[in-house]
Amino acid sequence: MISASAHPNVALIKYWGKSHDALRIPATPSLSIPLLAFRTETSIEVARKRDEVILSGQEDKSGRIANWLRILRGDLGLDMPPLTVRSSSNFPSAAGLASSASGFAALTLAINALLDLDLDMPSLSRLARLGSASAARSVSTGFIALDGRENAHTAWSAQKVLDYDAWPLGVCVAICSHTPKAVSSAAGMNRSRDTSPAYNAWLTGNRQMFERTVNAVTARDFEALASAARWSFFGMLTVMQSSVPPLNYFNESTCAVIQAIKTLQDQGVPVFFTCDAGPHVKCVHLPEYAALVEARIRAVPGVLEAIQACP
Ligand code: DP6
């Protein structure tokens, strides 16, 4: 039996839109930081007859991982026996934090070890990307960029821009609902691509912001990072809201947390927020402001939990 683990991540520059559905090739580059307090552990062993996938003790009925294993064996020609996969996470599923990123990343690392593939980071991230594009950013930790220039599987892989320890930003997650989302990220981003009049402008602008962010991270420039992350978040939000029918992942508590963060910013606190395809708000701040940010989020009416996601 081989075990591996990986952390989920939060994108500061967002991926929202694919240029190839089956290969999960993003239409725009993205950049994330890891949520190091959260972790998914995955173990694999050779099965007798067919793949078996058990997530948090329950058989996985979605077929998503089994389908990905078929792609690895079929399209990529990986010589892999049937596997029993067992995976569980230390973060509450009610947290609504996508476990698909850490899940596919941990499984990719376990397969790499089981088959003695000895893959480098770009190759590992490409395999994980075929399961979920955000998983490509979870095969390593740090400030991770997922970028590519051509619409080809080999072109899109993740690279580390900076070690997390070199700039250990804090992330406090405001949990704003326990209700599962109605529209998955994959379905939502396809709807945006197919119907939003703002989609093409989003792709162009987000690439520019990505390039600025790589420079901001290298220079450890919090203001420049916050400004690009703000653009990317509101750009994605504009595309979501102008999709037909519109995509709305937020609730009243989401807006109340955003307001609380804006108040902190007005008071000069180095903090910014970002959200994904869900109601929760991820508040990124310089490490010394952790207690203040967490206390303010906790005090917002409707917030169910405030979790420090980075040590
Ligand atoms: C809003 O990686 O979950 O969180 O590739 O279809 O599995 P698939 O989508 P997924 O989308 C993540 C979208 C996002 C932004 C981001 O993480 O970059």
Side-chain angles (χ1 to χ4, degrees):
M1 186 195 288
I2 301 271
S3 294
S5 70
H7 305 283
N9 65 75
V10 57
L12 306 182
I13 296 297
K14 305 294 183 186
Y15 143 61
W16 190 254
K18 293 182 177 68
S19 61
H20 192 298
D21 288 352
L23 293 176
R24 281 191 148 76
I25 298 176
T28 177
S30 55
L31 188 142
S32 64
I33 53 174
L35 301 176
L36 293 173
F38 301 151
R39 170 191 300 272
T40 297
E41 297 269 352
T42 299
S43 70
I44 54 176
E45 58 189 317
V46 176
R48 284 212 182 137
K49 284 189 179 156
R50 56 178 183 87
D51 294 328
E52 214 188 348
V53 179
I54 297 156
L55 304 180
S56 309
Q58 307 276 329
E59 194 188 342
D60 175 40
K61 298 245 165 40
S62 76
R64 195 165 165 189
I65 290 177
N67 190 39
W68 177 73
L69 293 172
R70 270 195 294 277
I71 294 172
L72 299 196
R73 292 193 189 97
D75 299 2
L76 299 191
L78 222 60
D79 184 13
M80 185 162 57
L83 297 179
T84 298
V85 177
R86 286 191 184 81
S87 188
S88 61
S89 300
N90 75 343
F91 46 96
S93 58
L97 295 161
S99 55
S100 61
S102 47
F104 277 107
L107 185 50
T108 301
L109 297 172
I111 289 172
N112 182 47
L114 181 80
L115 302 182
D116 261 331
L117 298 175
D118 203 17
L119 297 175
D120 58 10
M121 183 181 159
S123 310
L124 289 168
S125 74
R126 279 194 290 272
L127 290 193
R129 199 205 70 230
L130 291 167
S132 182
S134 52
R137 302 187 307 243
S138 276
V139 296
S140 181
T141 54
F143 290 78
I144 305 287
L146 174 60
D147 189 16
R149 289 282 168 171
E150 291 161 52
N151 190 14
H153 168 64
T154 48
W156 281 81
S157 57
Q159 281 188 353
K160 188 180 285 200
V161 176
L162 189 70
D163 279 326
Y164 175 76
D165 288 348
W167 201 22
L169 298 181
V171 182
C172 187
V173 182
I175 303 300
C176 293
S177 166
H178 285 332
T179 314
K181 61 186 165 198
V183 183
S184 70
S185 303
M189 65 178 77
N190 282 358
R191 186 190 295 177
S192 295
R193 178 189 61 197
D194 297 342
T195 64
S196 166
Y199 186 72
N200 287 336
W202 151 251
L203 296 187
T204 313
N206 203 47
R207 177 165 279 286
Q208 283 167 4
M209 290 302 144
F210 169 79
E211 277 152 19
R212 273 192 210 176
T213 301
V214 171
N215 293 334
V217 168
T218 312
R220 296 170 186 68
D221 181 340
F222 190 82
E223 271 310 304
L225 176 66
S227 155
R230 182 164 48 237
W231 192 99
S232 188
F233 165 67
F234 281 108
M236 182 179 75
L237 185 63
T238 304
V239 165
M240 285 173 168
Q241 290 181 335
S242 59
S243 300
V244 184
L247 293 157
N248 180 19
Y249 290 107
F250 302 165
N251 63 23
E252 276 179 30
S253 312
T254 314
C255 301
V257 174
I258 289 174
Q259 195 50 55
I261 296 300
K262 283 184 174 163
T263 305
L264 280 174
Q265 287 171 336
D266 290 345
Q267 293 165 353
V269 177
V271 59
F272 65 87
F273 62 87
T274 188
C275 303
D276 292 293
H280 317 299
V281 189
K282 288 105 181 185
C283 307
V284 182
H285 53 81
L286 289 181
E288 55 271 35
Y289 292 86
L292 173 65
V293 172
E294 187 181 328
R296 288 293 176 89
I297 292 173
R298 224 175 259 288
V300 174
V303 168
L304 305 174
E305 261 180 284
I307 308 176
Q308 276 297 344
C310 288

